[in-house]
Amino acid sequence: MANLSSCFALPSQFRSLSLSSHSHPSSVTGLAAFKPLSFSTSISHTVFSQGYVSVQNKPPPRLSVVCDAATNRKADSAAKRARQAEKRRVFNKSRKSEIKTRMKKVLEALDGLKKNPEAQAEEIIPVEKLIAEAYSVIDKAVKVGTLHRNTGARRKSRLARRKKAVEIHLGWYVPPAAASASA
């Protein structure tokens, strides 16, 4: 590679020389014309031992250059993505935990109503408020992307079905099919 770079410098050194002989390099007079080219110490001695040099106009070979900047940028963006993913994971974890807590409170309140045979219909109002809060938290989680919309719908449906089961058990709600069959 060092010889190649010194060969690229030859045209600039040729400008300072005046070569007036146009004879073939194999002739003795031609060799004498090219003898002064032995001034370069960076070029191999074997090139000038014969007394002539042929300079061809070839394009330089294609060399691929690897940049370190690309790998650093990629590593930085990967690190940023990791930081963002960790933030989202913690945020989503707390949101999912809140959903589970709210659902658990609703289900426990419904189980308490179901076990109480003397429960009044007005006692369902606080449970309905808990259900509304749970629905709100579930809808927000779906909106932000923490939960898939089908998962949110399934969890809301689970709460509604459990509430309806308690109302049927206590006799506060009569399904339409049962109402028409008893009439």
Side-chain angles (χ1 to χ4, degrees):
M1 193 68 180
N3 288 342
L4 185 63
S5 65
S6 61
C7 285
F8 286 137
L10 277 178
S12 65
Q13 294 172 357
F14 284 153
R15 285 187 208 129
S16 63
L17 295 176
S18 62
L19 301 174
S20 58
S21 173
H22 296 293
S23 61
H24 193 271
S26 63
S27 69
V28 178
T29 58
L31 286 177
F34 284 105
K35 280 287 186 192
L37 291 179
S38 62
F39 61 84
S40 176
T41 57
S42 63
I43 297 178
S44 166
H45 181 66
T46 58
V47 172
F48 294 108
S49 64
Q50 299 174 8
Y52 65 90
V53 175
S54 70
V55 178
Q56 296 177 352
N57 219 358
K58 285 186 180 178
R62 292 189 143 197
L63 302 174
S64 59
V65 177
V66 178
C67 281
D68 290 339
T71 57
N72 289 343
R73 218 175 309 136
K74 194 170 188 180
D76 290 346
S77 67
K80 182 177 179 180
R81 287 301 245 171
R83 288 193 308 268
Q84 289 174 338
E86 180 63 20
K87 277 185 191 176
R88 271 192 239 97
R89 186 189 69 80
V90 171
F91 182 75
N92 291 342
K93 184 178 177 182
S94 67
R95 195 173 284 271
K96 285 181 182 182
S97 174
E98 184 182 4
I99 291 169
K100 288 177 189 173
T101 303
R102 301 254 182 193
M103 288 184 66
K104 189 175 178 182
K105 284 183 180 180
V106 170
L107 295 177
E108 286 174 354
L110 288 172
D111 284 343
L113 272 178
K114 189 174 185 177
K115 290 179 182 176
N116 185 3
E118 292 109 26
Q120 300 298 318
E122 296 83 29
E123 293 180 29
I124 196 103
I125 294 174
V127 176
E128 286 177 344
K129 287 182 180 178
L130 289 174
I131 290 174
E133 291 172 2
Y135 279 9
S136 174
V137 172
I138 291 170
D139 287 338
K140 285 178 186 175
V142 169
K143 180 180 165 187
V144 173
T146 301
L147 287 182
H148 191 273
R149 64 176 183 248
N150 292 354
T151 304
R154 186 177 66 245
R155 291 190 180 178
K156 286 165 53 175
S157 173
R158 184 179 297 161
L159 294 177
R161 280 186 292 139
R162 190 69 64 92
K163 177 187 166 214
K164 189 173 277 190
V166 170
E167 288 175 338
I168 291 171
H169 177 75
L170 294 174
W172 300 336
Y173 178 81
V174 179
S180 63
S182 64

